[in-house]
Amino acid sequence: MATPVVVDSIRKAIAVGAPIYNAGDPGGCMNTYVHTALELVEKGAASEGERAALQDAVRRALEAGSKDEGAWIMRRSFDSILSGAVAAREAAARVAASVGPGGEFEVLNFEMGLPVAPRWRILDDVIMGGMSQSDGLTYDDAERAAVFSGRVTTDGGGGFASLRSDDWSGFTSLMAARGVRMMVQGDGRQYKLNAKTDGDYDGVQYQYDFTPPAGAWTQVELPFSGFKPTFRGRLVANRPPLQGQQIRQLGLMVSKFTSDGGVINNFRNGGFRLGIRYLRGFV
């Protein structure tokens, strides 16, 4: 989050500039915002990332094709700072610098139990008439791991069981990552890691298939460039590649379908079990 001085200055500028804009004077609004931004930069009240964001916004606003466009460039920059997005980018940059290329940092650790956040909810095929059933995210003391387990079946026309996290701010750290690594123990089945770029229940999600060996703990590496955009089991065309900074929800799934919409040849009805000790971002 931005410092109190920066937050107070920006809010005061918006309180003055917004009515000026609404009164039909976008130029006056833009000038108010530009003056505040330059003042914050010159006084050194803003962080390095905030100064860079404000200077860039001022440059683009002054070069904009209209005063209206310039006012909105400044306002979006202010909103980004107030929302904490700039601070999050700075934190992610510090993480990336601390671990170096190829290094990794912790996002979720289940070895000491289930963290309080994020929370996980069950999303099985019962929503479409299926009969699969997952047990939620449980904990195995002996294995020191979280467990995604249950029964998956195509009976009733379904064929998938899944979990999804809530919209969690802790995933912001993935802004610094090129992908994730997980320490998992499988059962021979193919699983998916799902990523959503919004907080909605339904909609497009990005998926990555992985098949860890049965009965052995192994680390799987899932680069964001390999995630595929899907909607209800089908590929979605013309979607940009997944980036860590977009991720707001993560999920696990076992399904009769691959992430590109194909059918898994050796899919079988019955129990499933995936152990997870940690999820880390890698740079």
Side-chain angles (χ1 to χ4, degrees):
M1 186 65 181
T3 63
V5 172
V6 172
V7 170
D8 185 59
S9 296
I10 288 177
R11 285 178 175 167
K12 285 180 178 178
I14 292 174
V16 173
I20 294 175
Y21 180 93
N22 293 333
D25 184 8
C29 173
M30 186 189 83
N31 290 338
T32 299
Y33 292 166
V34 167
H35 174 77
T36 297
L38 292 176
E39 191 174 58
L40 286 171
V41 169
E42 291 168 2
K43 287 184 176 180
S47 68
E48 182 178 347
E50 290 162 350
R51 288 197 301 273
L54 290 170
Q55 288 172 322
D56 178 66
V58 168
R59 178 188 59 78
R60 290 186 294 113
L62 295 177
E63 294 175 353
S66 68
K67 300 295 185 182
D68 188 89
E69 182 184 353
W72 277 109
I73 288 172
M74 293 304 306
R75 178 57 189 268
R76 284 191 288 270
S77 178
F78 283 174
D79 289 345
S80 179
I81 291 173
L82 291 177
S83 71
V86 172
R89 286 197 293 271
E90 288 184 289
R94 288 194 295 271
V95 168
S98 67
V99 300
E104 59 186 30
F105 56 90
E106 191 168 282
V107 179
L108 291 170
N109 190 314
F110 301 111
E111 294 181 277
M112 301 300 291
L114 297 180
V116 174
R119 292 176 295 179
W120 301 84
R121 62 183 183 274
I122 295 171
L123 293 173
D124 295 336
D125 59 18
V126 293
I127 60 176
M128 53 182 288
M131 300 176 67
S132 300
Q133 184 175 6
S134 56
D135 301 325
L137 193 67
T138 59
Y139 188 71
D140 186 323
D141 287 298
E143 294 285 355
R144 294 174 29 252
V147 176
F148 169 47
S149 62
R151 182 176 182 275
V152 62
T153 177
T154 54
D155 294 344
F160 73 88
S162 71
L163 294 175
R164 187 190 297 166
S165 75
D166 56 10
D167 188 350
W168 186 48
S169 61
F171 294 135
T172 303
S173 62
L174 289 171
M175 185 180 299
R178 292 188 297 111
V180 297
R181 293 174 181 146
M182 296 192 298
M183 181 62 72
V184 293
Q185 183 187 68
D187 54 4
R189 288 185 182 273
Q190 179 173 288
Y191 291 88
K192 297 184 180 76
L193 181 67
N194 298 336
K196 279 187 65 63
T197 59
D198 55 44
D200 296 341
Y201 176 84
D202 202 5
V204 173
Q205 59 184 346
Y206 288 78
Q207 298 184 323
Y208 197 114
D209 298 325
F210 64 98
T211 308
W217 286 101
T218 186
Q219 187 182 74
V220 294
E221 182 172 292
L222 315 179
F224 293 143
S225 59
F227 280 72
K228 298 174 182 177
T230 68
F231 180 66
R232 297 181 181 176
R234 297 182 179 180
L235 280 176
V236 178
N238 302 318
R239 281 275 175 163
L242 177 66
Q243 296 182 352
Q245 65 195 47
Q246 300 172 306
I247 296 175
R248 294 176 57 179
Q249 302 180 71
L250 287 178
L252 292 166
M253 175 179 281
V254 59
S255 170
K256 68 176 181 180
F257 297 109
T258 61
S259 60
D260 58 7
V263 177
I264 298 174
N265 293 328
N266 61 349
F267 176 84
R268 65 188 186 279
N269 292 343
F272 66 88
R273 189 181 193 278
L274 178 71
I276 314 102
R277 282 185 174 159
Y278 62 70
L279 183 146
R280 297 172 179 170
F282 70 86
V283 179

